[in-house]
């Protein structure tokens, strides 16, 4: 452990150096966007059906998914008569007892007619990408750009993973995410699209570094950088997905569990430190920000708070999230493919498959949050199934290789015996 200390220290310094960058970026974002044009694009999106009010969507192909997050993310930072720092750091949004899309439409008509409420717990770093684009482009174009970004980074991820673990294992790694989650519709919701893009792009870079035999110290720093960046753009959506991938790439490359666990710990530490820095930033900009009421009480609720959707018994969250994944639409495609082509699976060794337990630990710690938001939290469950499938395919490949080797030895032994008989 002592030999990793310089890298851990460097990783800590990097994460600390990123915090003022995040603060300056978000506190000045309002200076480069036009509220007037953004509201105009939002109104046009409602008129054209790209955005819809109420809890039920009619245009599934454009407005499906987590519409609640979609609409309140578009309204964040657009409160009138508020300075750039307050707009970017306190992140107010229009709220009422109605659906967030109803609130957004009302605010687009008259921003002064709605109630604005701070959403200071998160950095909302996805706005560094989305807010300028929503100011200059129609909302539909923004969503299509999300799709392009996800496609490009998904291809990059698959390419780098295939070079490291092989094509078959990569298919096993990716297929459950594609068919057992809402991955094909993530592009509709910008915050989800950006956080998923960081997962795919960051894991691809990490896989390339592992394949090129980067030192443990370099990998630790990369893990810290992406843990911090992910928190900057994340809404507590799928944090365990990325560190699980980092650990899996390390163990399948033969780097061992110790460095994998260190990278996972560094990733989560950078994630947590960046989140804590946001609370300090919110207090600096708005001293009335109550860390206990706005943060600690919410954290306790997300861990074990009571809700009609929550069961309080061990593994309840894990069961609910994985059930959501198994009942996904894509199982109608995935199961027939597995049965038709008789995909060779073997029981994976724990040495390769243990990173799949990382999301399970997360689900159980944040049991309340995982159960309430099982719809999108289940992406991490699908990714965990992918890790197990990839490990199983790698085990099958090793088993088949051994069988071929044994058969070859037996054949050569028989041929040698026959040759001796002939002589």
């Amino acid at each position: 452990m002592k030999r990793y200390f310089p890298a851990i220290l460097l990783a800590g310094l990097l994460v600390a150096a990123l915090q003022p960058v995040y603060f300056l970026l978000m506190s000045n974002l309002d200076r480069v966007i036009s509220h007037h044009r953004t509201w105009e694009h939002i109104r046009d999106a409602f008129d054209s059906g790209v955005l819809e009010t109420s809890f039920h969507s009619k245009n599934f192909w454009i407005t499906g998914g987590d519409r609640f997050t979609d609409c309140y993310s578009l309204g964040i930072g657009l409160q009138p008569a508020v300075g750039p720092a307050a707009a970017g750091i306190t992140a107010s949004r229009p709220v009422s007892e109605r659906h967030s899309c109803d609130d957004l439409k009302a605010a687009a008509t008259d921003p002064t007619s709605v109630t604005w409420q701070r959403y200071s717990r998160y950095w909302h770093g996805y706005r560094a990408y989305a807010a300028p684009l929503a100011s200059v482009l129609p909302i539909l174009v923004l969503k299509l750009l999300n799709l392009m970004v996800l496609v490009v980074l998904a291809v990059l991820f698959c390419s780098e993973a295939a070079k490291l673990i092989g094509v078959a294992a990569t298919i096993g790694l990716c297929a459950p995410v594609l068919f057992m989650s809402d991955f094909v519709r993530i592009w509709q919701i910008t915050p989800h699209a950006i956080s998923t893009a960081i997962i795919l792009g960051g894991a691809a870079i990490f896989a390339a570094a592992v394949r090129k035999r980067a030192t443990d110290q370099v990998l630790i720093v990369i893990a810290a950088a992406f843990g911090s960046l992910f928190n900057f753009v994340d809404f507590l959506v799928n944090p365990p997905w990325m560190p699980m991938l980092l650990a899996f790439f390390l163990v399948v490359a033969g780097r061992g569990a110790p460095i994998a666990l260190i990278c996972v710990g560094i990733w989560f530490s950078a994630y947590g430190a960046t989140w804590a820095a946001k609370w300090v930033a919110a207090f600096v900009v708005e001293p009335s920000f109550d860390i206990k009421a706005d943060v600690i009480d919410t954290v306790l609720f997300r861990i074990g708070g009571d809700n009609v959707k929550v069961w309080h018994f061990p593994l309840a969250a894990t069961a609910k999230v994985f059930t959501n994944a198994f009942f996904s639409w894509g199982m109608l495609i995935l199961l027939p493919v597995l049965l038709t082509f008789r995909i060779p699976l073997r029981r994976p060794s724990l040495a390769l498959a243990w990173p799949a337990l990382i999301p399970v630990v997360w689900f159980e710690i944040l049991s309340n949050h995982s159960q309430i938001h099982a719809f999108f939290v289940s992406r991490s469950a699908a990714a965990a199934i992918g890790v197990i499938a990839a490990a199983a395919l790698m085990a099958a490949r090793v088993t088949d290789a051994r069988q071929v080797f044994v058969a070859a030895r037996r054949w050569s032994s028989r041929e040698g015996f026959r040759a001796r008989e002939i002589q």
Side-chain angles (χ1 to χ4, degrees):
M1 185 66 182
K2 187 179 295 185
R3 69 190 181 97
Y4 296 123
F5 181 76
I8 294 173
L9 178 61
L10 180 59
L13 292 174
L14 173 62
V15 172
L18 287 173
Q19 306 315 307
V21 175
Y22 298 153
F23 183 88
L24 291 173
L25 179 60
M26 298 309 298
S27 61
N28 288 283
L29 186 60
D30 203 45
R31 302 180 190 276
V32 300
I33 66 173
S34 168
H35 286 208
H36 174 75
R37 289 197 300 271
T38 302
W39 286 128
E40 181 179 349
H41 292 148
I42 290 173
R43 288 193 296 269
D44 290 343
F46 277 110
D47 292 340
S48 63
V50 173
L51 295 175
E52 293 182 288
T53 57
S54 79
F55 288 88
H56 302 288
S57 171
K58 299 176 182 178
N59 189 358
F60 178 81
W61 299 107
I62 299 296
T63 63
D66 183 13
R67 294 171 53 246
F68 188 87
T69 298
D70 187 28
C71 284
Y72 74 56
S73 67
L74 285 169
I76 284 177
L78 297 179
Q79 183 178 7
V82 170
I89 301 301
T90 63
S92 295
R93 59 188 173 111
V95 297
S96 73
E97 296 298 323
R98 303 172 300 177
H99 192 277
S100 63
C101 291
D102 293 288
D103 297 330
L104 182 66
K105 186 173 183 179
T109 302
D110 182 6
T112 63
S113 67
V114 299
T115 300
W116 292 84
Q117 185 179 82
R118 295 176 308 187
Y119 201 20
S120 303
R121 288 197 305 276
Y122 302 100
W123 274 107
H124 302 281
Y126 60 89
R127 294 189 63 239
Y129 158 88
L133 290 176
S135 180
V136 298
L137 297 171
I139 302 302
L140 177 58
V141 176
L142 169 61
K143 292 175 181 286
L144 292 175
L145 285 174
N146 296 342
L147 178 59
M148 290 178 59
V149 169
L150 284 172
V151 168
V152 170
L153 291 179
V155 170
L156 176 64
F157 173 81
C158 292
S159 174
E160 291 299 334
K163 293 175 184 176
L164 181 65
I165 65 176
V167 174
T170 299
I171 293 174
L173 183 64
C174 298
V177 174
L178 182 62
F179 293 107
M180 300 177 70
S181 76
D182 65 335
F183 183 81
V184 295
R185 294 193 288 118
I186 291 177
W187 62 274
Q188 299 170 343
I189 315 299
T190 299
H192 291 274
I194 299 307
S195 63
T196 304
I198 296 297
I199 292 172
L200 295 176
I205 292 172
F206 194 85
V210 172
R211 180 172 57 83
K212 295 178 180 179
R213 300 182 181 179
T215 64
D216 291 347
Q217 289 73 17
V218 169
L219 296 175
I220 288 172
V221 173
I222 294 175
F226 280 109
S228 177
L229 181 60
F230 187 79
N231 180 267
F232 180 60
V233 304
D234 183 43
F235 260 149
L236 200 63
V237 176
N238 295 113
W241 185 355
M242 187 174 186
M244 175 185 64
L245 290 175
L246 306 190
F248 180 65
F249 287 148
L250 284 168
V251 295
V252 297
R255 301 292 284 263
I259 183 58
L261 288 171
I262 289 173
C263 284
V264 169
I266 288 295
W267 192 97
F268 277 113
S269 297
Y271 181 93
T274 301
W275 203 356
K278 175 56 172 69
W279 306 334
V280 175
F283 179 78
V284 170
V285 172
E286 182 52 68
S288 64
F289 177 68
D290 189 341
I291 293 180
K292 180 184 183 303
D294 293 349
V295 177
I296 297 177
D297 290 349
T298 301
V299 169
L300 294 176
F301 173 73
R302 293 303 186 192
I303 291 174
D306 289 325
N307 186 278
V308 294
K309 298 181 179 180
V310 173
W311 300 331
H312 291 292
F313 58 82
L315 298 179
T318 299
K320 189 169 185 178
V321 171
F322 275 91
T323 298
N324 192 84
F326 277 107
F327 281 94
S328 179
W329 66 274
M331 291 299 289
L332 296 175
I333 300 174
L334 187 59
L335 281 179
V337 169
L338 291 175
L339 294 174
T340 301
F341 292 96
R342 299 181 181 180
I343 306 298
L345 297 175
R346 299 289 187 275
R347 185 178 64 184
S349 68
L350 184 61
L352 294 184
W354 69 260
L357 295 174
I358 294 172
V360 174
V361 175
W362 177 271
F363 300 152
E364 291 306 302
I365 293 176
L366 275 78
S367 178
N368 171 289
H369 176 269
S370 299
Q371 294 185 60
I372 292 175
H373 300 294
F375 171 70
F376 55 74
V377 171
S378 61
R379 295 171 199 156
S380 292
I385 294 170
V387 165
I388 295 172
L393 286 166
M394 296 182 76
R397 184 175 64 190
V398 170
T399 301
D400 292 344
R402 287 174 178 169
Q403 290 174 347
V404 170
F405 177 73
V406 170
R409 288 191 61 181
R410 288 175 178 172
W411 180 85
S412 62
S413 297
R414 287 197 299 269
E415 291 301 309
F417 178 75
R418 290 174 182 173
R420 287 193 295 272
E421 282 188 330
I422 291 174
Q423 291 175 356

